[in-house]
Amino acid sequence: MTVLTHTALTDRFTRAVDHARVAHAAQVRKGSNIPYLYHLLGVASLVIEFGGNEDQAIAGLLHDVIEDCGAVHEAIVRAQFGDAVADIVVACSDATAEGKTSLVDAEAKRLDWMDRKLAYIAHLESAPDAVLLVSACDKLHNARAIVQDLEDPNVGNSVFGRFKGGQAGTLAYYESLARIIGKRKVRGAAVLDAVVGRMHALAGVSDRQPLTGQSVSPKTDDDRISDRFWFEHETGKRLYPYKCRDQRSGQVMFRVAPGAAGANKVENQTQLDDVEEVFRHVFGKGWSVRLCSLDRSVEGLYSKDGHSIVRTSES
């Protein structure tokens, strides 16, 4: 005999709604005056519809709070709603609000968008099931909104002008998401795939292709920069990992940026074999730096020890 269960929601969920309401109070959905809370409630509703638990439903409400409201919210979410919720929220974020607003040049924003989306797609390949459901519901709600605008004769294909990836990049991004979520057999995957198919049809694109480095007018094969982790000196100067798009080459480089990831000016860059030299050039003799990460998985203090770069202690 099959016993049907339902997701029990407690006052934690109510508090999460209020947290989302306050944090996103000044924000609206792209191209509208609809309060952003509408999207967050929609994602949480889909999580519940597809069998998620309360932690996942709360993460659905808060999934954009780091990316759109600031990194400070991670600690708040962790303290108020627990590690399970906070870990999902972090895993559903491809940047922080501070990182995105630091970019003012249109080309830098475009390259940053490409890098973040490619990194997020790769991240979903091995993300925990709890994260995948929340991410799938987020993308499904967004995809349905795009389709609704495509069906509106007053909007149509102009909807893609709201997105940094444009029409080609946006379609390719959603195709990649639909493929990964389908491959991972996430509940709701078939619904997302159908909506993404409809999106392509309405846009007049019959060939569904995933996102690659060539999807949005790429410059060169060496313009990807990660903002998910970085080395930081006590002076505040940061060194970001910098990877070529051709992963088969295995080439890894570093880009030096005094501020947020994606900074336009490349002050120095080096192959991994010469990393000791660039660290000395950037941070000075006898350097000691902190390795920081958006997902908190690789934090630690690193310094030079002979000819090696070693973790000296946990941060």
Side-chain angles (χ1 to χ4, degrees):
M1 175 177 168
T2 301
V3 178
L4 297 178
T5 61
H6 70 280
T7 302
L9 301 176
T10 67
D11 66 330
R12 291 174 67 235
F13 185 84
T14 305
R15 288 188 284 111
V17 171
D18 210 43
H19 185 94
R21 176 187 63 82
V22 173
H24 294 274
Q27 299 167 6
V28 296
R29 290 284 277 171
K30 282 185 175 72
S32 77
N33 291 317
I34 301 172
Y36 199 78
L37 184 62
Y38 142 83
H39 169 61
L40 307 174
L41 292 170
V43 173
S45 295
L46 287 170
V47 169
I48 295 169
E49 177 183 342
F50 291 119
N53 60 29
E54 185 180 40
D55 282 340
Q56 290 172 298
I58 291 173
L61 290 168
L62 304 177
H63 74 275
D64 273 335
V65 76
I66 294 174
E67 193 168 321
D68 292 344
C69 303
V72 66
H73 284 273
E74 180 189 344
I76 298 172
V77 170
R78 200 170 292 279
Q80 293 188 7
F81 304 102
D83 288 340
V85 171
D87 289 347
I88 295 173
V89 172
V90 169
C92 285
S93 306
D94 65 24
T96 63
E98 295 86 350
K100 291 196 294 185
T101 57
S102 68
L103 303 173
V104 295
D105 177 75
E107 179 65 7
K109 288 182 178 180
R110 183 190 67 79
L111 292 176
D112 176 69
W113 179 89
M114 174 64 76
D115 176 69
R116 288 188 291 108
K117 299 312 176 188
L118 287 170
Y120 187 73
I121 290 165
H123 157 68
L124 287 185
E125 292 277 6
S126 58
D129 291 344
V131 171
L132 281 173
L133 178 62
V134 176
S135 178
C137 291
D138 170 33
K139 305 315 176 190
L140 174 57
H141 196 263
N142 283 335
R144 281 174 167 171
I146 293 172
V147 166
Q148 183 174 315
D149 280 329
L150 284 168
E151 291 175 334
D152 183 347
N154 295 317
V155 182
N157 283 31
S158 68
V159 66
F160 294 112
R162 302 171 187 167
F163 304 103
K164 295 181 182 68
Q167 176 172 313
T170 302
L171 290 173
Y173 178 52
Y174 277 94
E175 176 62 19
S176 293
L177 293 167
R179 292 188 184 192
I180 291 173
I181 290 167
K183 183 171 69 174
R184 294 288 305 273
K185 302 187 185 307
V186 181
R187 291 192 66 178
V191 180
L192 176 62
D193 185 69
V195 173
V196 172
R198 176 68 173 159
M199 188 191 302
H200 280 74
L202 289 169
V205 176
S206 58
D207 187 17
R208 294 172 57 172
Q209 292 295 322
L211 188 69
T212 68
Q214 305 302 312
S215 297
V216 187
S217 303
K219 288 293 184 181
T220 70
D221 281 342
D222 293 324
D223 58 5
R224 286 188 61 206
I225 184 168
S226 170
D227 63 353
R228 296 195 69 83
F229 66 96
W230 62 91
F231 292 95
E232 185 167 327
H233 192 256
E234 61 183 6
T235 61
K237 178 162 283 191
R238 295 180 177 182
L239 189 64
Y240 290 91
Y242 181 71
K243 298 184 179 181
C244 66
R245 282 203 175 91
D246 183 6
Q247 297 300 313
R248 291 172 299 179
S249 73
Q251 186 181 23
V252 180
M253 306 181 77
F254 286 89
R255 173 179 288 180
V256 180
N264 289 335
K265 186 178 180 182
V266 179
E267 297 178 356
N268 195 357
Q269 61 185 48
T270 180
Q271 291 189 12
L272 187 59
D273 290 343
D274 302 320
V275 68
E276 183 181 334
E277 180 181 344
V278 76
F279 271 50
R280 185 170 58 251
H281 173 79
V282 175
F283 299 126
K285 191 175 181 180
W287 52 266
S288 179
V289 294
R290 179 170 177 257
L291 178 59
C292 306
S293 71
L294 192 61
D295 63 5
R296 301 164 62 92
S297 64
V298 290
E299 291 194 8
L301 296 177
Y302 284 66
S303 63
K304 181 179 181 297
D305 180 11
H307 297 289
S308 303
I309 298 168
V310 298
R311 178 181 290 202
T312 58
S313 67
E314 298 295 328
S315 60

